[in-house]
Each structure stands twice: as structure tokens, then as C-alpha cells.
Amino acid sequence: MSTDRKAMRELIARRAEKEIHDGDYVNLGIGMPTMVANYISDNKQVVLQSENGLLGIGPYPTEDELDPDLINAGKETVTAIKGASYFSSAESFAMIRGGHIDVAILGAMEVAENGDLANWMIPGKMIKGMGGAMDLVHGAQKVVIIMEHVNRNGDPKILKECSLPLTGKGVVNRIITDRAVIDVTEDGLVLKEILGDYTFEDIQSVTEPKLIRE
Amino acid sequence: MKEVYSSFTDAVADIKDGSTIMVGGFGLCGIPENLIKGLRETGVKDLTIISNNCGVDDWGLGLLLENKQINKIYASYVGENKEFERQVLAGELEVELVPQGTLSERIRAGGAGIPAFYTPAGVGTKIAEGKETRIFDGKEYLLEKAMKADFSLVRAYLGDKHGNLNYRKTAQNFNPMIAAAGKVTIAEVENLVEAGDLNPEHIHTPSIYVNKLIVGEQEKRIERRTVAQS
């Protein structure tokens, strides 16, 4: 990964951290969302949920702490914090569907202006599966998407309608990219923040639906 | 007292061609390693597997794939396996992807006598195609059916001779629901103790769900070894 891309992902992860409040129970998706954990302020007490059955994900283990029976949903070896709990997958998704998770931060391939999310399959490519994403987007109190604003060809990923198969309909609350923070509202997409030296017009030019000024 | 086996091929000997089998585990964590190897040895074919994942190329359910013993699999994520991809593209293996929470609840429902339930997961997506929907309090839900199996294979950390089971850390995952949803449940335990040696308050799977026991030494392969940078 280029240093530019790495810096971009760090910028997004740092901004996403601000969505997490003291006392929150949070689920972080696989990939860039997992990086958000590195930036959670010491002033906030946050409990990270892992859908394979752990409430209270800790840092990666030392060689001595390494335990094959203790992994996160990305199948990485982890540790558990003091006060953690273990449970079954059914219990895990009961707490997800039941609305007990305050914030879920997930990645995306495309987001539409009505909050539709596509992040699990590309037709014609080998389908790996949706894992827990389809459950998470309906259960969490707030669904925050973090992604690069445009794809590798420079085309918008925020669209009037998703072209890829959906993960959920009307499920996204907020989108955080390397260029902007955008809320999905009943009136449409509201540009809440601009990151870096961009103008409103710059952001609009790489966003397919019309943006509303805050 | 449940029958305690000493041979893994004997423990799975009743599993015949065409059986539907649920297998516990998340990735390679909490899988019944030796019962899977036993199935590979008996060589039964045309299996339908219900499991969150399908192992990796040379371990876990990947061993049954490699030996072309699986016809169909229900799973939520299968992206760790090249042979899997080859068999799907060649039309040799049928896959039904199920959202993870729906999969765990379908299995739970199967063991709990609930024929079907409504869930929001998958509404408005490909998963909803052909399924009944219903509105509750203004929100749309999908009707999802329970799953059961001819045989369930689980792995526990501790088991007693009555069949009570205790799981360790995140190796619990799908195992408790799977233990309850099989007509015949075979538990591979890391440690077998006498009845009475487990604290009844620490039992995750009560003995009523378990039919056969066997002690298995686990390799516990790690799929993604991540350690803290010092």
C-alpha cells in the first residue's frame, strides 16, 4: 500500500473515532474499520463487540499471550479486556439485531443517497459471503460507513442508486471519506464537514447525487 | 452416561452418503478437528454441510472439500479457500450464503422447536428473493426457516461423561446451537471429566443435546496470526 493511501486511511479512521462516545458498545467491521480501534481516545471507555462471540476486544496479543481460541470476526488473534464476556453466535446476533450496539462502523463499495449500502459482492467475481454485515446494518443504533470518496478510477462511490447488489436498504446514517463527512437524511445527503482543502464544489464534483449545504 | 468413543472413524461411522451435517466453529476456531478427519477417512460422499465457513485448503472442512465429499454448503463466509472457488465455478459444489445472524438463529430455531422466524437482515437484497415478508410496526421483515441436521459435530473444551459441555473463549461461537439442532450430536472434547466435576453453573450445553463423546487432541491452527508490534 502506498504511503499516500496509508495516510488517507489513517485520516478516515481518525475522523471515524469521533463517532464513538464514552460508554459506547461498538462493532467495527473488517479492514479499515478495524483500524479505528487504534485511535480511540484514552478518555473514552468503549467496549468493542466481535460478532463471533466476544464483548470487550483488547489489543493484539504478545507472542506469549497468543491464543488460537481467542479471535475477532476477521479471524485475527486478539486479547480480551478486563470485564470482557464470551457468548455464542446466536447471543451475539441477538444483541446486534436487538438494537444494543450503539455504533457500527463498516466499509463500503457503494452508498446511495437513500442510505442503501453495497459492500458484499461484485457480480462476475467469486462471492465470498456477507458474513454478519446484513444483520449489523439493521441492528446498530447508528451505522457509519467509512471509505475512500472515489474508486480506483476516480469515479464516485456515493451514487443516486447502487449498481452492486445491496447489503441493506436505507440503512446508512453517516458516510465518512477522505474528503468529507456526509449524513443521509430524509431530504437527501447533507454535507456536514469537508476534510482537507476541498471546496463544496470539489466534493460535489465527485459525488453523484446532489449535496445539501449544511 | 453417554457412549465415549476412542476411534474417530467409529464415532462418525453412522454418517452415511447424503447426510446433512452441521459443524461448529468460526474460521478454524472451535472446529471439531478430528471428527472432520474421521469423516475424511470414512469417505462418505454427497454431504450437505451447514457451517459458518468451509475451512482452508488443507484444514478443517477444506479436507472434505479436497476429497470431493461435499455437495452443498450453507455458510456466511467462504472466502478462504481456493479449492472451494474452483469447485463452485466448475459446478461441482452448490453454495447457499446466509447472513451470519440469520444462520445462527436458523440453527438455534431448529434445536428449539421454532419452525421459522422474522428478521430484518436481508430485506431488499438478493437474500430476500422468493421469501415471504411481513411488516411489523412499519418495518419490513423476512421469514426465515429453521435448520436441522442428521448429525451435529461440535468441539468443546470440557465435557463430562453425561455429555455436559463447556466451551473456551471464542471457540464457543456456533457450537451450542449446533449441538442442539442435530438428531445425533457428537462432541469432540479437549478434556473429559467425570459427571459432577463440572460446576453446573458453568455448563454451556446441557447433556440432553449430546449423544456421543470422544476426546480429541487439537492442533488449533491459526488462520490470521496477529501479534502486537513491540
Side-chain angles (χ1 to χ4, degrees):
Chain A
M1 198 179 294
S2 70
T3 46
D4 278 3
R5 190 129 184 271
K6 213 171 156 189
M8 183 196 287
R9 288 160 67 90
E10 186 181 324
L11 173 84
I12 297 170
R14 282 186 187 281
R15 177 57 191 80
E17 187 273 339
K18 294 184 183 158
E19 303 300 315
I20 299 173
H21 300 105
D22 188 29
D24 277 354
Y25 287 88
V26 178
N27 184 293
L28 301 175
I30 293 162
M32 185 161 55
T34 302
M35 285 171 58
V36 176
N38 301 336
Y39 305 109
I40 296 174
S41 159
D42 292 340
N43 300 324
K44 296 177 191 171
Q45 203 179 5
V46 173
V47 178
L48 300 177
Q49 200 253 16
S50 191
E51 58 266 31
N52 56 318
L54 165 59
L55 202 50
I57 308 172
Y60 290 127
T62 62
E63 289 286 346
D64 288 346
E65 292 170 331
L66 201 67
D67 184 343
D69 287 341
L70 182 45
I71 63 169
N72 65 16
K75 298 170 189 131
E76 298 173 323
T77 44
V78 293
T79 58
I81 61 168
K82 281 183 184 171
S85 56
Y86 301 113
F87 36 83
S88 73
S89 301
E91 178 82 45
S92 179
F93 282 94
M95 66 180 73
I96 288 169
R97 265 187 256 99
H100 306 281
I101 303 288
D102 297 295
V103 188
I105 301 179
L106 305 169
M109 297 169 186
E110 295 176 348
V111 182
E113 63 180 328
N114 63 353
D116 288 359
L117 169 67
N119 74 354
W120 76 284
M121 68 174 280
I122 300 175
K125 286 202 176 178
M126 178 62 193
I127 302 163
K128 294 183 170 185
M130 69 296 281
M134 286 192 181
D135 309 270
L136 268 166
V137 294
H138 286 283
Q141 292 298 323
K142 187 172 183 184
V143 174
V144 177
I145 294 303
I146 63 174
M147 62 180 189
E148 290 168 29
H149 204 99
V150 296
N151 65 22
R152 277 175 199 165
N153 303 323
D155 299 324
K157 294 175 72 173
I158 304 171
L159 304 170
K160 288 179 179 163
E161 273 181 47
C162 292
S163 65
L164 297 171
L166 296 184
T167 306
K169 268 187 94 65
V171 293
V172 175
N173 299 111
R174 173 165 278 195
I175 308 161
I176 299 174
T177 75
D178 50 305
R179 305 184 193 188
V181 177
I182 295 169
D183 276 356
V184 179
T185 74
E186 284 186 5
D187 301 325
L189 296 178
V190 176
L191 182 64
K192 302 290 288 183
E193 285 172 37
I194 294 173
L195 308 182
D197 297 328
Y198 298 101
T199 64
F200 180 91
E201 288 70 26
D202 292 336
I203 305 295
Q204 180 65 78
S205 72
V206 289
T207 308
E208 192 185 65
K210 199 169 154 33
L211 291 171
I212 300 166
R213 283 178 201 267
E214 165 88 304
Chain B
M1 298 297 232
K2 299 290 158 64
E3 191 164 359
V4 180
Y5 286 75
S6 54
S7 146
F8 286 93
T9 47
D10 287 351
V12 299
D14 291 341
I15 301 180
K16 301 293 183 218
D17 289 357
S19 295
T20 295
I21 309 175
M22 287 182 185
V23 184
F26 185 98
L28 300 180
C29 181
I31 60 171
E33 297 181 4
N34 298 293
L35 287 172
I36 293 170
K37 284 197 219 164
L39 275 181
R40 165 127 172 175
E41 272 183 54
T42 67
V44 286
K45 298 241 185 295
D46 301 328
L47 301 175
T48 294
I49 298 287
I50 300 168
S51 183
N52 189 52
N53 314 91
C54 198
V56 296
D57 274 323
D58 61 347
W59 196 240
L61 289 170
L63 294 172
L64 303 187
L65 265 184
E66 191 184 358
N67 210 25
K68 302 199 169 58
Q69 292 174 263
I70 305 176
N71 263 7
K72 178 162 188 180
I73 179 158
Y74 294 84
S76 87
Y77 190 83
V78 290
E80 318 291 358
N81 200 313
K82 285 200 180 66
E83 174 62 13
F84 188 98
E85 182 167 347
R86 191 199 66 71
Q87 289 187 17
V88 172
L89 295 175
E92 298 168 13
L93 175 66
E94 196 184 337
V95 188
E96 190 164 328
L97 291 167
V98 182
Q100 200 173 117
T102 299
L103 182 65
S104 58
E105 193 63 14
R106 287 178 71 182
I107 298 169
R108 198 197 70 80
I114 304 286
F117 59 91
Y118 285 99
T119 177
V123 167
T125 74
K126 281 182 173 301
I127 301 303
E129 287 169 10
K131 288 180 185 153
E132 285 179 54
T133 60
R134 188 166 161 184
I135 311 276
F136 294 92
D137 296 327
K139 191 173 166 176
E140 193 176 350
Y141 294 83
L142 286 187
L143 187 67
E144 292 281 3
K145 289 182 183 159
M147 284 177 160
K148 291 184 191 178
D150 301 317
F151 295 89
S152 283
L153 310 183
V154 299
R155 192 189 86 205
Y157 179 57
L158 296 168
D160 72 18
K161 288 181 178 172
H162 277 200
N164 291 304
L165 305 177
N166 166 275
Y167 306 97
R168 185 169 176 273
K169 300 189 177 178
T170 57
Q172 179 174 165
N173 55 62
F174 280 75
N175 281 299
M177 294 80 71
I178 285 180
K183 275 187 213 137
V184 175
T185 293
I186 311 170
E188 174 171 349
V189 301
E190 292 177 57
N191 305 282
L192 184 67
V193 298
E194 297 299 325
D197 286 354
L198 295 182
N199 182 337
E201 290 172 342
H202 294 172
I203 288 165
H204 294 120
T205 292
S207 65
I208 194 166
Y209 300 120
V210 176
N211 303 93
K212 302 178 182 186
L213 291 160
I214 188 162
V215 179
E217 198 171 317
Q218 308 295 310
E219 269 188 48
K220 297 195 183 177
R221 291 196 191 172
I222 293 175
E223 214 164 325
R224 297 225 166 79
R225 183 192 173 88
T226 42
V227 290
Q229 286 160 357
S230 49

